[in-house]
Amino acid sequence: MKLIAYNVRDDEIPFVKAWGEKNNVEVSYSIDTLNAETVKQAQGYDGISGLQTIPYDEALFSEMKEMGISMLALRNVGLDNVDLTAAKKAGIVVTNVPAYSPASIAEFAVTLALAVNRKVGYMYHQLHELGEFHFSPDFMGQLISNQTVGVVGTGRIGREAIRMFTGLGAKVIAYSQSHLDDSDLNFTYVDSLEELLDQADVIDLHIPGVPENEHLFDEKAFKHMKSSAILINTARGSIVDTQALICALEEGEIAGAGIDTLENESADLQNSRSTAQVTDSNVLKLAKMPNVIVTPHSAFHTDEAVMNMVNISFNNLKQQLTGGEVDNLAK
């Protein structure tokens, strides 16, 4: 058995090597993202592990079929960039890692909420943009324990976020298409997204980037929010209409945002070796706002998460290629 991983970052390499040695499997890696051209590096391999936000498209799966490679094992949760219909047509099995570390993403969401709430961006702006360093009335924040947090989506990550926010003393409400039947978490479901938007001081997104969620947060949604509310998105960029978000921030319709993922993320965003300068006008505009913290899709990034992403992805490949039952088939 020979396996190859694409778009491997420096922090993943020790875990990739360790898995190969532990399982006595030949494992190689490439720093390239995976597409119909770069897949040619996988000639002679049995399975591929991938991690990227750019598309896995029909051309890629057709090429994999021609090469006799029958499986793509993602090292992440999201499937919105995968043409699963094309994969099925080509006979390619696709798996993901549905839960590599929900707490890592939830913790980062809480971190962003606290930082925006406590005006950390204003402090950074004063020092790094104005060259000043002193107390300011602009730095007055709010206690999270005095606020209502609205969590959108109560899957694995959403549940961890609820646990953390309630631990900080916040009142938590949630909106989700499916409800938890039995839960020891202290929160209340609301009947509609609009109801959550009307009540919440902090809105925290933990839903997938599926077509029905595209631009769920648009101009209309922002007008529903309190002018004192903040938005936290560590889920998928497509959920939020970026132009509507920028307009809402500029017009004072909402008070701030913590954004870890944006629409139309480029391959360069996931390239840890990149030295390219930022040219995306939306990123630059958001970065200059003191009431916004924007980060490069890094909410997942803890040592526990990286280890689990690598190990589960390769375990999925091994299960499939040795005739075992595969745990994490993409649907």
Side-chain angles (χ1 to χ4, degrees), residues 3-145:
L3 307 177
I4 184 169
Y6 279 81
N7 200 30
V8 173
R9 304 182 310 267
D10 291 341
D11 55 286
E12 294 181 293
I13 292 173
F15 299 112
V16 171
K17 290 180 176 179
W19 187 93
E21 292 171 1
K22 180 180 178 181
N23 290 273
N24 196 28
V25 173
E26 182 179 343
V27 178
S28 299
Y29 60 87
S30 170
I31 66 174
D32 295 328
T33 52
L34 181 61
N35 57 47
E37 288 300 316
T38 60
V39 73
K40 294 171 184 176
Q41 298 173 33
Q43 187 68 53
Y45 287 83
D46 302 301
I48 295 173
S49 170
L51 172 65
Q52 62 195 49
T53 55
I54 64 172
Y56 300 99
D57 58 17
E58 184 176 7
L60 166 66
F61 292 121
S62 295
E63 192 67 29
M64 287 177 65
K65 181 180 180 180
E66 288 294 318
M67 296 171 66
I69 299 174
S70 62
M71 185 172 180
L72 170 63
L74 307 183
R75 300 196 299 281
N76 58 287
V77 180
L79 298 165
D80 50 298
N81 60 326
V82 184
D83 189 338
L84 291 174
T85 301
K88 185 176 181 180
K89 180 180 177 182
I92 307 298
V93 174
V94 179
T95 61
N96 68 343
V97 181
Y100 45 80
S101 180
S104 295
I105 298 171
E107 185 177 271
F108 197 80
V110 173
T111 299
L112 289 176
L114 291 172
V116 175
N117 241 335
R118 294 304 302 270
K119 306 295 181 69
V120 171
Y122 286 86
M123 301 175 197
Y124 183 92
H125 182 268
Q126 185 203 68
L127 177 59
H128 293 270
E129 298 297 326
L130 305 180
E132 301 175 11
F133 188 57
H134 54 78
F135 174 83
S136 169
D138 293 336
F139 300 163
M140 186 172 69
Q142 295 176 297
L143 284 173
I144 201 81
S145 57

Side-chain angles (χ1 to χ4, degrees), residues 215-228:
H215 286 187
L216 187 65
F217 279 73
D218 56 9
E219 182 181 355
K220 181 180 177 182
F222 289 121
K223 289 185 184 302
H224 248 293
M225 290 171 61
K226 296 179 180 180
S227 60
S228 58

Side-chain angles (χ1 to χ4, degrees), residues 246-305:
I246 290 171
C247 182
L249 289 161
E250 290 178 335
E251 297 297 322
E253 292 177 346
I254 65 173
I259 303 297
D260 185 55
T261 176
L262 288 159
E263 295 181 273
N264 306 313
E265 291 178 347
S266 66
D268 197 58
L269 184 70
Q270 291 295 314
N271 181 3
S272 62
R273 302 170 182 85
S274 174
T275 58
Q277 296 295 299
V278 179
T279 58
D280 188 314
S281 59
N282 289 332
V283 174
L284 292 170
K285 192 171 290 188
L286 289 167
K288 291 177 181 178
M289 296 182 180
N291 55 339
V292 176
I293 295 177
V294 58
T295 53
H297 211 133
S298 300
F300 74 95
H301 201 207
T302 62
D303 53 355
E304 175 183 285

Side-chain angles (χ1 to χ4, degrees), residues 188-205:
T188 304
Y189 279 112
V190 294
D191 295 328
S192 67
L193 179 61
E194 288 74 21
E195 188 176 348
L196 182 142
L197 298 180
D198 287 340
Q199 296 182 37
D201 302 298
V202 176
I203 297 169
D204 182 28
L205 307 184

